Amino acid sequence: MDKLQYSIKKRTTKIELPAELGFGRLFTDHFFEMDYSPEKGWHNPIIRHIENLSIHPGSMFIHYGQAIFEGLKAFKSADGRVTIFRPKAHFQRLNNSAKRICIPQVDEDFLLHALTELVSIESDWIPTNPGESLYIRPVIYGMDSSLGVKPSASYKLFILLSPVGAYYPEGFKPIKILVQDDYVRAVRKGLGECKTPANYAASLLAATEAKAKGFTQVLWLDGVEQKYLEEVGTMNIFVEFKNEIATPKLNGSILPGVTRRSVIQLLKDKGLNVTERAISIDEVVSAYKDGTLVSLFGTGTAAVISPVGWLTYKNLEMVINNGEPSKIAQELFDQLNSLHTLKVEDKYEWVVQVNKEEVEI
Ligand code: COI
């Protein structure tokens, strides 16, 4: 692999972040990119000032969607340390997604090196109000200009940084979810477990229709029978029953969330009965009716922990935990936030610290 190059433009004005960051509206000054060709492998890695990419209109990802992405976050602790949450898990998932749609593998250690350098250079952009972070978006897409349906030979990888607030306008407040049974997101053995734009394109119509009816998001059911819970468009789902916290088992059509995995570990360490299994919507409805449904919450990098206050299935509106976050959801939210910013010891070794002095430009 070529040595990482830098083309940095020093800022002459102070970074002014708006009071309301929203999600993904603002980008930092620099980004990372590198190219792939069969002859050179991954090459030309560079951190440089952000500008528009030049794309041939025949680029294969535009026509056939050969692209993948990740979403992870960096934080700043109260004493100024910069952290990235579980970058290695995210890069492993990036490579798993790559395999599924014939994109060449990336050297995860090199990518971590490039990312820590980029985050270090842009560390003044990391917002520090509660719930805020620097969202990291790695992307790979097929660059060949060709209209034949086949894997591209050349690729571009870039990493974009965006200071963000809460993903949902509700923040940590409970959201309204519609159980979706008119459309499906993915089917087993399809692309569901791959973080590829196609899955998000598949979610847009359902999300738009749900929004028009006053819902924040939809809860997808399985692609065959529309019977079992899968995930919410932007996060995994957990169901808190009286004596069990269950989440849908990874079956090939659900995205294997890094926050999902972290939450399972945190719940196990609390000594709680956490299971990964098939959960039918009928089971959720009957637990609601007989009073054994305690809460539902979503987990995701963007959303962190998002309690569900209202769940509508067909004509039944279920008010979950009186529209309040459950004790467990609140605890998980606080625990994850404390780990992100090293307010507690990171016994899991999930956090990678970024050291400012390491950057040699
Ligand atoms: C994330 O949680 O990082 C996601 O990628 C979900 C969404 C913002 C697309």
Side-chain angles (χ1 to χ4, degrees), residues 36-330:
Y36 179 90
S37 71
E39 303 76 36
K40 296 188 187 166
W42 287 107
H43 61 283
N44 282 348
I46 183 164
I47 292 174
R48 66 178 179 92
H49 200 262
I50 199 158
E51 60 183 46
N52 289 348
L53 295 168
S54 156
I55 293 166
H56 190 282
S59 292
M60 293 184 75
F61 81 96
I62 300 177
H63 300 270
Y64 305 122
Q66 198 194 10
I68 52 173
F69 67 96
E70 267 302 317
L72 58 161
K73 280 179 172 172
F75 303 86
K76 203 177 267 177
S77 67
D79 60 3
R81 283 174 294 169
V82 173
T83 63
I84 306 176
F85 192 66
R86 307 199 75 174
K88 292 173 195 171
H90 283 279
F91 291 153
Q92 274 164 13
R93 190 172 67 177
L94 183 74
N95 267 336
N96 287 341
S97 297
K99 221 174 278 166
R100 179 62 179 84
I101 55 173
C102 302
I103 288 177
Q105 296 287 289
V106 183
D107 178 339
E108 293 167 20
D109 292 335
F110 179 80
L111 209 52
L112 182 58
H113 164 61
L115 176 62
T116 51
E117 294 285 280
L118 178 65
V119 168
S120 175
I121 288 164
E122 300 293 63
S123 60
D124 290 345
W125 285 90
I126 305 176
T128 50
N129 292 319
E132 295 180 342
S133 59
L134 186 68
Y135 187 77
I136 300 166
R137 172 54 62 85
V139 177
I140 309 180
Y141 61 88
M143 278 215 306
D144 284 9
S145 47
S146 163
L147 298 184
V149 180
K150 61 178 187 303
S152 180
S154 62
Y155 295 87
K156 166 85 75 195
L157 180 156
F158 66 77
I159 304 179
L160 203 56
L161 303 180
S162 171
V164 298
Y167 184 74
Y168 295 122
E170 291 90 336
F172 180 67
K173 289 202 207 99
I175 57 172
K176 267 185 126 167
I177 296 275
L178 175 67
V179 181
Q180 176 53 252
D181 58 359
D182 285 335
Y183 309 103
V184 299
R185 171 187 172 272
V187 289
R188 284 177 207 180
K189 303 186 184 182
L191 290 178
E193 65 182 359
C194 176
K195 204 159 174 69
T196 184
N199 289 325
Y200 297 84
S203 76
L204 295 177
L205 181 58
T208 305
E209 289 181 1
K211 210 166 177 192
K213 292 182 194 153
F215 296 95
T216 319
Q217 261 293 345
V218 301
L219 171 59
W220 295 104
L221 299 178
D222 70 278
V224 178
E225 296 175 272
Q226 286 89 71
K227 192 170 167 191
Y228 297 98
L229 273 51
E230 293 250 307
E231 61 172 83
V232 177
T234 48
M235 52 189 191
N236 294 112
I237 190 82
F238 283 71
V239 186
E240 203 184 331
F241 296 105
K242 247 202 173 115
N243 298 308
E244 178 196 13
I245 302 170
T247 190
K249 190 178 159 76
L250 299 179
N251 57 7
S253 59
I254 296 171
L255 191 80
V258 174
T259 311
R260 172 189 183 279
R261 214 199 305 169
S262 309
V263 160
I264 290 172
Q265 182 72 54
L266 293 174
L267 291 171
K268 278 189 181 153
D269 289 358
K270 288 177 193 294
L272 296 170
N273 176 26
V274 51
T275 56
E276 295 175 71
R277 66 173 176 85
I279 309 163
S280 73
I281 187 64
D282 290 345
E283 181 185 356
V284 174
V285 170
S286 53
Y288 174 75
K289 288 184 174 162
D290 70 19
T292 55
L293 179 68
V294 180
S295 88
L296 280 94
F297 56 87
T299 64
T301 296
V304 191
I305 301 290
S306 184
V308 178
W310 299 266
L311 184 72
T312 297
Y313 178 53
K314 300 197 188 287
N315 291 322
L316 176 67
E317 189 195 53
M318 296 174 265
V319 182
I320 312 294
N321 199 39
N322 298 317
E324 297 291 331
S326 72
K327 186 169 164 281
I328 294 284
Q330 181 72 57

Side-chain angles (χ1 to χ4, degrees), residues 12-31:
T12 49
T13 55
K14 204 168 164 287
I15 295 165
E16 307 266 2
L17 294 177
E20 282 294 320
L21 280 172
F23 186 86
R25 295 192 211 128
L26 191 67
F27 298 98
T28 70
D29 292 330
H30 297 90
F31 79 133

